[in-house]
Amino acid sequence: MLFAANAILLNHGHNGRIPQNFAQQTPTPKEAEMHIEVDDLSRPAIHALLEEHLRNMREISPPESVHALDLGKLRSPDITFWTVWEDAQLIGCGALKELDRVHGEIKSMRTPEALRRKGAGRAMLAYIIGQAKARGYERLSLETGSFDAFKPARQLYESVGFVYCGPFGTYEEDPNSMFMTLRL
């Protein structure tokens, strides 16, 4: 099933309120050509993007602090994986892991390094928030890095209401990790 990015941003993720920075979040005509779909992780383009993601995480973080999932782990039945496309070009991905019946975790949010600043990350995040609400989750959490390289991602999460929290699920305190959560 395909979804227009503008419908995702306007119908999900903001509890029906127009956020103060709405003008910055309104999709441009170019972004309106994006679509998001459930992905079975079989296409070479997604393999390449996930390899880029894992390679980058391993370059930035020490091995014990890399929590990015590989293809096998992303195929777990408690994870739904989506991709963002602009025409036939893969421009992003993200996943939602069910931790329990009221708590989900965002995993594998990524846009290719060469294709950033197109709105794919914001569209994917809004879509995942909408899906978490539709599932009846009360809380959505995530783990991200503490290094400066992760600052743009943290700013994106903060812009939609995520706040910093302690470790959740099976995570433990880690100076290389930051944890964030959003009450839905």
Side-chain angles (χ1 to χ4, degrees), residues 9-60:
L9 290 172
L10 297 176
N11 292 329
H12 301 290
H14 297 296
N15 297 326
R17 296 186 308 268
I18 298 175
Q20 288 179 340
N21 59 348
F22 182 74
Q24 297 168 358
Q25 297 179 17
T26 303
T28 64
K30 186 72 172 166
E31 290 173 344
E33 297 172 15
M34 287 182 210
H35 63 273
I36 294 175
E37 60 188 51
V38 171
D39 199 293
D40 67 1
L41 298 157
S42 65
R43 293 178 274 195
I46 192 58
H47 293 191
L49 179 57
L50 290 172
E51 280 302 315
E52 174 188 295
H53 181 54
L54 287 168
R55 183 174 51 254
N56 184 239
M57 295 302 98
R58 290 175 184 137
E59 290 169 357
I60 296 171

Side-chain angles (χ1 to χ4, degrees), residues 7-169:
I8 295 164
L9 290 172
L10 297 176
N11 292 329
H12 301 290
H14 297 296
N15 297 326
R17 296 186 308 268
I18 298 175
Q20 288 179 340
N21 59 348
F22 182 74
Q24 297 168 358
Q25 297 179 17
T26 303
T28 64
K30 186 72 172 166
E31 290 173 344
E33 297 172 15
M34 287 182 210
H35 63 273
I36 294 175
E37 60 188 51
V38 171
D39 199 293
D40 67 1
L41 298 157
S42 65
R43 293 178 274 195
I46 192 58
H47 293 191
L49 179 57
L50 290 172
E51 280 302 315
E52 174 188 295
H53 181 54
L54 287 168
R55 183 174 51 254
N56 184 239
M57 295 302 98
R58 290 175 184 137
E59 290 169 357
I60 296 171
S61 301
E64 67 277 5
S65 298
V66 174
H67 301 288
L69 302 178
D70 62 20
L71 280 168
K73 290 179 181 167
L74 284 168
R75 288 187 173 113
S76 175
D78 59 347
I79 295 176
T80 305
F81 187 85
W82 296 276
T83 47
V84 184
W85 298 85
E86 187 172 72
D87 300 319
Q89 185 174 34
L90 176 64
I91 60 170
C93 66
L96 178 57
K97 178 180 181 178
E98 183 170 298
L99 299 175
D100 61 45
R101 62 178 197 73
V102 295
H103 190 189
E105 178 184 5
I106 294 176
K107 296 296 295 180
S108 300
M109 284 277 296
R110 184 70 178 191
T111 55
E113 288 187 33
L115 298 172
R116 297 208 170 137
R117 299 283 181 213
K118 292 175 159 267
R122 185 170 294 281
M124 184 79 266
L125 180 58
Y127 187 77
I128 290 173
I129 291 169
Q131 290 294 307
K133 287 179 179 180
R135 292 179 183 188
Y137 293 167
E138 296 172 6
R139 188 171 139 198
L140 189 57
S141 301
L142 61 93
E143 178 277 336
T144 189
S146 62
F147 303 109
D148 285 344
F150 296 96
K151 188 174 182 179
R154 293 191 307 264
Q155 289 173 328
L156 172 63
Y157 300 131
E158 288 172 346
S159 77
V160 298
F162 278 84
V163 296
Y164 293 94
C165 65
F168 60 90

